[in-house]
């Protein structure tokens, strides 16, 4: 017997129904469905197997809705810590490094995410390896596009010379970081990049009034 994968449209409808129930207090069913379709379109440029593209769509849509929920519920609450968004071109390298290091440096309640102008298929293996050397995990993370929901949930946005005009979205909260020109050359270069970012995220966290441990 041959097993046939369900049609993409049926999978997306099921994802939308599931998320609409989970986030009923955040968005209407129609809004959730539109967000799911938009999330699928944002991965069209990738050469993923269909099932992978569908699961990425589901995760991205859920994360966007969670950003909306966080903005409505947590942001602005007395004593709420600042939130951070790191952005680079593909969200497979620098922004993933910075976000992972920031999560390791600050308390679990701090919102930290990353995104890319044009997300790649997967986090670079060298990034994962360099973080593993420090005992810092990227488990559960994946390259994702920058969206208004992620920007809206961020108090501070850091971009890595990605060339995208984020100023209109982030306003005065936008920072641009540059890394050493040789930072991505081989394993030694990746380690230098990691170490430079480790120091930078600790400085950033402390500048925002957070306790941050040295990495």
């Amino acid at each position: 017997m041959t097993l046939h994968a369900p049609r993409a449209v049926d999978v997306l409808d099921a994802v939308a129904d599931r998320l609409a129930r989970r986030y009923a207090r955040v968005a209407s069913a129609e809004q959730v469905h539109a967000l799911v379709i938009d999330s699928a379109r944002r991965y069209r440029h990738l050469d993923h197997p269909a099932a992978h593209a569908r699961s990425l769509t589901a995760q991205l849509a859920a994360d966007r809705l969670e950003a909306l929920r966080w903005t409505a519920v947590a942001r602005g609450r007395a004593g709420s810590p600042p939130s951070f968004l790191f952005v680079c071109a593909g969200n497979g390298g620098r922004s993933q490094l910075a976000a992972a290091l920031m999560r390791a440096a600050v308390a679990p309640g701090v919102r930290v995410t990353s995104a890319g102008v044009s997300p790649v298929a997967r986090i670079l293996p060298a990034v994962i390896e360099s973080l593993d050397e420090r005992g810092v995990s990227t488990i559960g993370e994946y390259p994702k596009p920058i969206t208004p929901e992620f920007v809206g949930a961020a108090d501070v946005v850091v971009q890595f010379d990605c060339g995208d005009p984020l100023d209109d979205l982030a306003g005065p909260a936008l920072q641009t970081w540059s890394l050493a020109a040789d930072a991505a050359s081989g394993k030694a270069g990746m380690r230098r990049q990691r170490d430079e970012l480790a120091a930078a995220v600790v400085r950033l966290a402390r500048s925002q009034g957070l306790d941050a441990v040295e990495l």
Side-chain angles (χ1 to χ4, degrees):
M1 182 177 66
T2 301
L3 296 178
H4 297 284
R7 296 185 308 157
V9 65
D10 294 332
V11 174
L12 296 183
D13 284 344
V15 168
D17 289 344
R18 180 173 72 240
L19 292 177
R21 293 193 297 271
R22 184 189 305 170
Y23 291 97
R25 296 185 179 182
V26 175
S28 69
E30 292 76 13
Q31 290 171 323
V32 172
H33 187 271
L35 188 144
V36 169
I37 297 302
D38 179 71
S39 295
R41 289 171 177 161
R42 289 173 184 265
Y43 281 123
R44 280 184 174 175
H45 66 289
L46 295 181
D47 185 24
H48 280 300
H52 193 188
R54 294 165 192 175
S55 60
L56 276 176
T57 293
Q59 186 61 58
L60 175 61
D63 285 344
R64 293 172 71 179
L65 287 163
E66 185 59 29
L68 287 175
R69 186 204 65 79
W70 190 92
T71 301
V73 175
R75 193 175 187 187
R77 180 184 297 168
S80 178
S83 56
F84 302 89
L85 171 64
F86 295 93
V87 179
C88 68
N91 194 216
R94 296 165 295 175
S95 57
Q96 291 284 356
L97 268 173
L101 291 164
M102 177 67 89
R103 292 187 200 100
V106 299
V110 179
R111 177 179 170 83
V112 181
T113 191
S114 67
V117 176
S118 182
V120 294
R122 59 190 59 83
I123 300 175
L124 297 175
V127 168
I128 298 172
E129 182 180 356
S130 70
L131 289 170
D132 184 69
E133 291 177 352
R134 290 290 193 92
V136 176
S137 175
T138 57
I139 292 175
E141 294 302 315
Y142 64 103
K144 50 192 169 295
I146 185 169
T147 70
E149 296 84 10
F150 295 146
V151 175
D155 295 304
V156 179
V157 179
V158 176
Q159 66 171 345
F160 292 91
D161 297 330
C162 57
D164 193 57
L166 301 177
D167 304 75
D168 292 340
L169 293 174
L174 179 68
Q175 299 185 22
T176 298
W177 290 3
S178 297
L179 297 174
D182 64 345
S185 176
K187 288 187 177 181
M190 182 60 71
R191 290 184 180 117
R192 287 194 295 273
Q193 185 176 34
R194 175 201 63 199
D195 295 344
E196 183 178 342
L197 284 174
V201 299
V202 169
R203 289 194 299 270
L204 176 59
R206 290 175 177 173
S207 75
Q208 298 297 313
L210 296 174
D211 291 330
V213 299
E214 298 287 346
L215 296 168

